[in-house]
Amino acid sequence: MGPPRCRNIATYGYCKYERSGCEFSHAPDDAQATGSTSGTQYFNPQDTPDRNRQKLRYDSPEFKPSNISHGVLNAPSFVPSNLASHVGFNSFEAFDSPEPAYAGYEQRHNQYEHDQMASGFASMGVSNSNPPVHERMTSGSSFFQNLDGMDSFSSYQDTAPLQTASNPLLPLQYHLYNPPLPHVSNMGPQQKPIHYFFMDENLRETLQRRSEAAQQLLDPNAPEAANLPTEVHVYHSLSPMDDKPERHSKVFGFPTCIYKAISALDGKPYVLRRIEGFRLLTDAAISSVEPWRRLKHSSIVSVREAFTTKAFGDNSLIFVYDYHPLSTTLSAKYLSATPLRANAKPGVPERSLWSYIVQISSAIKALHSAGLAARILEPSKILVTGKNRVRLNCCGIFDTINFDGGKSMLQFQQDDLVNFGRLIVALACGALASVHNLPKSLEHISRSYSPDLKNVILLLLSKRNSYKSIDEVLTMIMPRVVHEMSTAHGQSDILESELTRETENGRVVRLLCKLGFINERPEFDLDPSWSETGDRYLLKLFRDYVFHQVDELGNPVVDVGHVLQCLNKLDAGVDEKIMLMSRDEQSCLIVSYKDLKQCVDTSFGHLSRTL
């Protein structure tokens, strides 16, 4: 069976889009009838063997009806709508491009396998009505596209591959159940939908994507792996994280590279930032990393260690940081290299901008209180690790490569405040060049943001004889700090409720494990005190009651709600009674969940004592 026949074949005898990505069948009728097209086997459940069709041949003479108007005969050719939606063409001439715009059979085959899996779970009441993968990745949803129409995966360019027409990115299906539908949103207090027992699908997918990124390894046969050492200090499995290494770094003054590596000590991934061609002049410089190692803050990427190595064939200085998968930078997410334009929109929403200001202010306060300075408040060195979550990155590098023994630390702390003000200006205007024209930038900020933001910027950029302190900034933004703390507590409550759901899932899994350990153990088949008597026989019948039910026609009943209801009642040990029937239907037993729970505890306790 094959895909639907292209309408152009039936009308004109040929299709000029056949080699440009048209997914309909263009094979002769003989191949279409056998379900084979160019050696590829398709499956169409709508086609049946006893379905009679009138065969059409591609070399049949042209049919010209006499009762059709001239305008209908000159109608444009049929263009598949899904093909046009995928490539975004505005005219039919654009289809003459030789570059295929559709992923072809491989993408359809992957989608067919996904649909088959989803249909299997749908029979259990756990369905996935999300659109196909290729449609979700090209749709205009807020999850996969930002306001500028750019693919959201571009913000993960350091850790995830980009989608191309020849290499489509097909994300894994981490969950196979829908969000609650409208008709089940107003249920009674005694009723709970199946989604109540599982984590929120958006949170689950985010965590799974991070886990996938953390587990990705570089192919040993890839060209990039040829120039990488197999082991650096105690780290192995190096994978480059930047597509374009900063060979002429404007920030550090040395070429730098970033790698993800696995530690042989704990097996966890870390980030190695390599400073190429750096020769350490004194051991005191490398010891300046110790204060950074002791510093722990939620808005600072922790520094693990620093060491020198010749594993790359030169004198390199390596800084080891915590790894935050799928993170991007403020520069990549918000800023552009173009100067501020007239009537430009704000670069960052004010609510998010205030959240960033509070978090960075808290990080600067922790640094200055510890006698340290960030010295790296650059948009390209501040990570965005989650929704409105930022962390200062690359801390401690300048203290080593420009070691002075801490003589200028007070001046460095003053520079932190000035650089902080410039960072806010760049984020508010959405351009790096906005800091070079402060009057125009402040005028734009006055029109687009609240007066409090302008006052903070003026405080940070002001020049005065006395030293400024980050405490003055915190005093000025105190109302915003209170709001940020309230929001953080609300988010903590949400995550705690999601954790509670997973706790309930763990309770059910533990009960399933106990039942699996008890039922039909082969070493006890000949033991009359275990196999088919007493507590074990009741649990065997209860397993059939939960998992092996059939309807009045003898068809299997696959109901996840029934399974969860029975297991929860068993775990609680309620007094409700159920009727258990043997497989030969010759005996019936009336037993309560309380008695069944006692049977589970007794049988599992007996197994535990025999270990």
Side-chain angles (χ1 to χ4, degrees):
M1 301 302 174
R5 190 172 178 81
C6 183
R7 228 188 295 174
N8 287 333
I9 297 293
T11 305
Y12 303 100
Y14 71 98
C15 176
K16 64 180 181 178
Y17 312 114
E18 180 178 357
R19 299 183 181 277
S20 300
C22 180
E23 64 176 336
F24 295 97
S25 175
H26 306 90
D29 291 344
D30 296 339
Q32 179 76 9
T34 59
S36 177
T37 304
S38 302
T40 303
Q41 188 75 18
Y42 293 93
F43 172 74
N44 187 354
Q46 296 179 355
D47 294 341
T48 56
D50 57 347
R51 183 177 179 180
N52 296 324
R53 300 184 186 179
Q54 183 179 1
K55 293 186 176 181
L56 298 176
R57 298 185 58 84
Y58 66 91
D59 56 352
S60 60
E62 184 179 1
F63 173 70
K64 297 182 178 180
S66 58
N67 57 348
I68 297 181
S69 62
H70 178 72
V72 176
L73 292 177
N74 294 331
S77 302
F78 166 71
V79 179
S81 59
N82 58 348
L83 178 61
S85 65
H86 280 298
V87 296
F89 289 138
N90 295 325
S91 62
F92 296 122
E93 289 77 12
F95 282 89
D96 295 333
S97 172
E99 179 69 17
Y102 193 69
Y105 166 72
E106 181 180 1
Q107 187 170 1
R108 291 195 300 270
H109 179 67
N110 292 337
Q111 180 60 30
Y112 168 71
E113 290 183 345
H114 166 264
D115 294 341
Q116 290 295 99
M117 182 182 297
S119 63
F121 278 88
S123 63
M124 297 192 304
V126 186
S127 60
N128 180 16
S129 63
N130 292 334
V133 176
H134 61 274
E135 293 181 8
R136 287 191 288 113
M137 299 204 60
T138 56
S139 64
S141 63
S142 59
F143 183 81
F144 287 98
Q145 290 185 351
N146 55 23
L147 298 177
D148 297 330
M150 300 296 292
D151 191 353
S152 69
F153 283 99
S154 62
S155 61
Y156 304 145
Q157 57 187 348
D158 292 339
T159 55
L162 295 179
Q163 178 192 15
T164 60
S166 60
N167 183 25
L169 184 62
L170 301 178
L172 299 176
Q173 298 298 313
Y174 301 113
H175 54 285
L176 295 173
Y177 54 90
N178 292 339
L181 299 177
H183 65 277
V184 295
S185 58
N186 297 322
M187 304 183 68
Q190 75 282 0
Q191 297 175 322
K192 295 179 181 179
I194 188 174
H195 311 91
Y196 175 83
F197 300 96
F198 300 98
M199 185 187 299
D200 178 74
E201 63 275 7
N202 294 328
L203 177 60
R204 179 183 297 274
E205 186 166 357
T206 299
L207 297 179
Q208 291 284 7
R209 288 183 182 278
R210 292 179 181 177
S211 177
E212 180 186 7
Q215 296 175 9
Q216 286 179 350
L217 297 176
L218 181 65
D219 186 2
N221 299 323
E224 297 83 356
N227 300 325
L228 294 179
T230 57
E231 185 176 358
V232 178
H233 192 38
V234 296
Y235 303 94
H236 59 88
S237 303
L238 273 69
S239 302
M241 297 180 59
D242 46 356
D243 296 333
K244 297 180 180 180
E246 304 172 10
R247 296 300 177 184
H248 302 285
S249 177
K250 298 180 181 180
V251 179
F252 301 111
F254 293 89
T256 62
C257 295
I258 309 173
Y259 304 96
K260 184 187 75 173
I262 307 299
S263 174
L265 300 179
D266 57 9
K268 297 180 180 179
Y270 294 92
V271 173
L272 307 184
R273 182 173 288 271
R274 171 191 172 199
I275 310 297
E276 300 182 18
F278 177 80
R279 184 179 297 274
L280 193 64
L281 300 179
T282 175
D283 294 338
I286 202 71
S287 63
S288 62
V289 181
E290 289 301 321
W292 291 99
R293 294 184 57 188
R294 295 191 296 267
L295 181 66
K296 304 296 180 183
H297 194 272
S298 60
S299 296
I300 301 175
V301 179
S302 298
V303 183
R304 293 299 176 174
E305 61 176 330
F307 57 89
T308 58
T309 182
K310 294 184 179 181
F312 295 92
D314 63 350
N315 295 315
S316 297
L317 178 62
I318 305 296
F319 286 85
V320 183
Y321 295 93
D322 284 347
Y323 175 62
H324 296 275
L326 298 186
S327 59
T328 183
T329 63
L330 288 176
S331 179
K333 187 173 183 178
Y334 295 111
L335 304 185
S336 62
T338 58
L340 183 63
R341 303 183 305 272
N343 300 325
K345 296 182 179 179
V348 182
E350 183 169 2
R351 185 172 182 178
S352 299
L353 183 57
W354 277 114
S355 178
Y356 297 158
I357 293 174
V358 171
Q359 295 176 62
I360 296 175
S361 299
S362 176
I364 295 176
K365 171 64 175 178
L367 292 178
H368 291 186
S369 300
L372 301 172
R375 305 179 63 180
I376 194 64
L377 290 178
E378 296 283 341
S380 61
K381 299 298 180 289
I382 298 180
L383 293 183
V384 181
T385 58
K387 184 177 181 181
N388 290 346
R389 281 292 287 119
V390 294
R391 287 178 169 90
L392 302 186
N393 194 22
C394 302
C395 294
I397 295 182
F398 274 120
D399 291 350
T400 301
I401 62 177
N402 296 330
F403 179 71
D404 63 350
K407 299 177 181 179
S408 305
M409 186 57 63
L410 187 58
Q411 183 59 42
F412 292 151
Q413 293 179 354
Q414 295 298 305
D415 294 340
D416 283 347
L417 301 180
V418 176
N419 293 331
F420 187 22
R422 293 176 178 175
L423 174 66
I424 299 175
V425 172
L427 293 177
C429 298
L432 290 170
S434 58
V435 297
H436 302 301
N437 191 353
L438 288 179
K440 184 178 179 180
S441 300
L442 291 176
E443 180 182 356
H444 168 74
I445 293 173
S446 301
R447 295 194 308 265
S448 304
Y449 295 92
S450 61
D452 294 340
L453 184 63
K454 181 180 178 181
N455 295 334
V456 173
I457 295 174
L458 293 177
L459 173 62
L460 293 171
L461 298 180
S462 62
K463 297 180 180 180
R464 60 187 185 185
N465 297 329
S466 59
Y467 287 106
K468 293 178 291 186
S469 173
I470 188 62
D471 294 334
E472 301 179 35
V473 180
L474 291 174
T475 302
M476 181 175 294
I477 64 173
M478 188 58 65
R480 308 289 180 175
V481 174
V482 173
H483 180 268
E484 183 70 13
M485 184 173 59
S486 175
T487 304
H489 289 167
Q491 181 67 14
S492 176
D493 293 340
I494 294 176
L495 295 179
E496 185 176 351
S497 65
E498 298 294 337
L499 180 61
T500 303
R501 297 184 183 182
E502 294 303 308
T503 303
E504 297 300 315
N505 292 344
R507 179 171 53 84
V508 173
V509 170
R510 286 192 297 270
L511 185 57
L512 285 175
C513 292
K514 289 183 179 179
L515 292 175
F517 287 137
I518 295 171
N519 283 320
E520 297 183 357
R521 297 194 65 89
E523 66 271 21
F524 293 150
D525 285 344
L526 302 180
D527 188 354
S529 65
W530 178 273
S531 58
E532 296 291 338
T533 59
D535 298 342
R536 272 69 65 184
Y537 185 66
L538 289 177
L539 296 179
K540 180 180 178 180
L541 298 184
F542 177 73
R543 181 193 59 183
D544 293 342
Y545 173 79
V546 176
F547 296 102
H548 300 161
Q549 288 199 359
V550 295
D551 58 11
E552 61 275 6
L553 300 179
N555 298 322
V557 176
V558 183
D559 188 357
V560 179
H562 169 72
V563 173
L564 293 175
Q565 183 182 33
C566 294
L567 293 179
N568 282 322
K569 290 180 179 179
L570 175 62
D571 186 67
V574 299
D575 293 329
E576 179 182 346
K577 295 183 178 182
I578 57 176
M579 182 179 68
L580 304 179
M581 182 179 296
S582 62
R583 294 186 177 182
D584 57 5
E585 299 182 357
Q586 297 299 316
S587 59
C588 297
L589 298 174
I590 305 297
V591 63
S592 65
Y593 284 102
K594 182 178 180 180
D595 297 333
L596 289 173
K597 181 179 181 180
Q598 185 177 0
C599 293
V600 172
D601 295 338
T602 303
S603 301
F604 187 75
H606 178 74
L607 285 178
S608 301
R609 287 191 299 270
T610 59
L611 296 178

